[in-house]
Amino acid sequence: MKENKGWFLRWPWNVIIYLLLFLVLRLFAVPIILILMQIQQKNNPHGISEGYCLNRTRKRLMWLIWALLVLLISAVLFFMFKIGLEQDRTYWETMDYVTLAVCGIGGPLFLIGGVYLGYIAVRDTFFPEKSALAQSIRNQLPYPDEAPPVNELFSMVDADLKENAQWFGPVGIGREWVLGDKVNKIDRIRGIFVVNELHQHHTQTGIRTSRNLELVLIDDRWQRNITSFRNLNDLQAAADCLALRVPCAQRGSGSAGRTFWSMDEASRENFNREFRQKQSLRASQQLIQETQSGSPQDMILLQVNGQVTSRVTQALVDEQLRLCLLQGQGSFSLTPNHPIEAGKQRFRSLHVSVSEGTIWLFAEHQNQPGAGLAKAVQEREARDVLSAWLHRKAPDTSFWTPKARK
């Protein structure tokens, strides 16, 4: 499917137009602004033109419209309260006192709510480094206090989504990250829950029914990430996709998510222990399947932590690359028992290193230790080369550069 380039009202022109409309038309501009926002969402649904994460934080600008409406309601309630205080209450009935109390309590509450919505809208739109979305990424890194700047955080998630994303309504699922209202690291997800609830509201004209559709993700810190959906099919598809990525995670619907989230500390530890056991069992089964299917086992892996193993699997190699990218640096190598040939060239090992977020591949020549060919690659190409190397297939080195290994 061809990606939409998001040509309609790109940042910051959309904000300028919204402000001009509000200055000219005042409150009458609100419906026009909402319509323009809907058109912009239709033309640039996921924000690829400016980055998925940055686009998601800037969508908080709509909260500024709701903040103004809430502040208007607060002003009306304060005005009614003031009028009530000035009136003669000699012949007031109970309902009149109730109305006065509602206005006196509701006014401050709506004022606080309007100020809060306005603060969140301004913070996330104009100061993305302080946004809840950026903080959700930092909190999932090994050392949150030493996290890189917000543009690098967003780029890390954007690159994964651009290469691997499957979109289900407002949620994008990549190889490593899930982008909803906040961001989740896929390998840290422990619970996947679907909320599909009908709510009935009694009004003067009858009964109104509304549906609440939410995807609730709970990570290994027992933090919840809740994203609202408009389409039930998108919600179910997103949950199914994540269940395939994290098969050991707990699944459920309705109140099951609240029950899982409210477990005590001992129950959480037990679940995490069982989760790791299930993961280990699946990894062992995968290793057996790869061995039975003839996957090569004549490979030695020097891991990021310095350990050496000959029980090499695709999952283990992917994990080594993930660790390097997560830390922003690190290296590992794959050395076959017999050289891998590519035409007239023979390679003794493949070295992978990450420096300042850049992935370098170095294929070392068999007859010239320390010399070989190198290339800086994107994550997807690195994974493809590593997968082929595991099956004793040398990479296409046409555009690789001769280099001596340090």
Side-chain angles (χ1 to χ4, degrees):
M1 182 180 294
K2 185 178 179 180
E3 287 280 5
N4 195 293
K5 297 303 181 182
W7 50 268
F8 185 85
L9 287 183
R10 291 181 60 177
W11 179 274
W13 299 108
N14 55 339
V15 178
I16 296 173
I17 291 175
Y18 299 156
L19 290 175
L20 290 175
L21 284 172
F22 186 78
L23 291 175
V24 174
L25 301 178
R26 304 292 179 175
L27 289 178
F28 296 103
V30 172
I32 299 176
I33 293 174
L34 292 176
I35 291 173
L36 290 176
M37 286 182 170
Q38 290 297 323
I39 296 175
Q40 184 188 26
Q41 167 68 11
K42 183 178 179 181
N43 282 276
N44 189 25
H46 306 306
I48 189 173
S49 62
E50 57 188 356
Y52 301 110
C53 293
L54 190 58
N55 177 266
R56 191 60 55 95
T57 62
R58 286 173 176 170
K59 285 182 179 178
R60 293 289 193 189
L61 184 65
M62 183 177 288
W63 284 28
L64 199 57
I65 305 297
W66 300 118
L68 294 174
L69 293 176
V70 172
L71 290 175
L72 178 62
I73 295 174
S74 173
V76 171
L77 292 175
F78 274 120
F79 179 76
M80 293 175 61
F81 182 74
K82 180 176 179 296
I83 295 298
L85 290 178
E86 295 174 350
Q87 287 182 348
D88 182 7
R89 285 172 285 185
T90 304
Y91 303 102
W92 273 29
E93 298 179 356
T94 303
M95 184 59 68
D96 297 316
Y97 286 101
V98 171
T99 302
L100 184 64
V102 169
C103 293
I105 298 174
L109 290 179
F110 275 93
L111 176 62
I112 294 172
V115 171
Y116 174 76
L117 289 175
Y119 167 75
I120 295 297
V122 172
R123 183 197 67 184
D124 286 14
T125 303
F126 299 101
F127 304 96
E129 67 277 4
K130 298 181 180 180
S131 66
L133 190 145
Q135 191 59 42
S136 69
I137 303 174
R138 291 191 193 96
N139 290 340
Q140 295 177 81
L141 298 179
Y143 305 100
D145 295 336
E146 301 176 7
V150 67
N151 59 327
E152 295 184 25
L153 290 176
F154 285 175
S155 296
M156 180 171 56
V157 178
D158 288 342
D160 179 38
L161 293 176
K162 188 174 182 180
E163 290 290 329
N164 310 295
Q166 292 178 270
W167 289 95
F168 305 94
V171 168
I173 302 176
R175 186 191 295 269
E176 297 185 28
W177 299 94
V178 180
L179 174 63
D181 286 345
K182 294 181 181 178
V183 174
N184 274 93
K185 196 136 187 357
I186 290 179
D187 60 7
R188 301 190 70 163
I189 293 175
R190 297 294 180 267
I192 305 168
F193 299 94
V194 171
V195 176
N196 178 17
E197 298 176 344
L198 289 175
H199 299 281
Q200 292 184 340
H201 307 277
H202 294 273
T203 64
Q204 295 180 349
T205 58
I207 300 177
R208 296 183 59 185
T209 302
S210 61
R211 171 171 280 184
N212 184 33
L213 299 174
E214 293 178 340
L215 176 65
V216 182
L217 301 179
I218 300 176
D219 62 19
D220 56 355
R221 304 162 300 153
W222 251 252
Q223 298 293 314
R224 289 193 299 178
N225 178 2
I226 302 175
T227 302
S228 297
F229 279 72
R230 295 181 181 179
N231 186 286
L232 180 59
N233 292 332
D234 286 340
L235 173 58
Q236 294 287 1
D240 292 340
C241 179
L242 283 172
L244 292 174
R245 302 292 182 87
V246 195
C248 299
Q250 183 74 25
R251 284 204 66 180
S253 59
S255 61
R258 289 188 291 271
T259 303
F260 182 80
W261 179 68
S262 59
M263 287 195 304
D264 57 34
E265 192 66 30
S267 299
R268 293 179 182 181
E269 291 179 0
N270 289 335
F271 177 85
N272 279 324
R273 182 167 56 253
E274 293 176 359
F275 182 90
R276 290 190 292 269
Q277 290 173 350
K278 291 178 181 177
Q279 278 192 323
S280 299
L281 179 60
R282 290 183 64 87
S284 299
Q285 292 174 342
Q286 182 180 0
L287 177 61
I288 294 173
Q289 291 174 357
E290 290 182 352
T291 303
Q292 292 175 345
S293 63
S295 297
Q297 292 297 312
D298 65 337
M299 196 79 63
I300 297 175
L301 171 64
L302 175 60
Q303 301 183 61
V304 177
N305 58 11
Q307 295 182 356
V308 177
T309 180
S310 60
R311 298 175 63 85
V312 185
T313 65
Q314 184 68 55
L316 180 57
V317 173
D318 288 343
E319 178 66 13
Q320 300 304 301
L321 180 60
R322 186 190 69 81
L323 288 174
C324 290
L325 291 173
L326 191 63
Q327 298 169 3
Q329 59 182 1
S331 63
F332 62 95
S333 63
L334 284 166
T335 303
N337 292 339
H338 305 283
I340 293 179
E341 299 183 4
K344 297 181 180 180
Q345 300 186 94
R346 304 177 76 208
F347 299 108
R348 62 184 298 170
S349 61
L350 178 66
H351 302 269
V352 183
S353 63
V354 175
S355 176
E356 298 180 352
T358 302
I359 304 174
W360 285 93
L361 299 181
F362 177 79
E364 187 173 2
H365 288 309
Q366 168 66 16
N367 299 324
Q368 297 176 311
L373 302 174
K375 183 183 180 183
V377 298
Q378 298 295 323
E379 180 181 353
R380 186 169 185 176
E381 183 177 354
R383 293 185 184 277
D384 291 342
V385 171
L386 288 168
S387 178
W389 187 269
L390 280 177
H391 292 81
R392 301 191 56 81
K393 295 180 181 178
D396 180 4
T397 57
S398 303
F399 300 99
W400 291 42
T401 304
K403 188 177 181 180
R405 184 166 179 264
K406 297 179 180 180

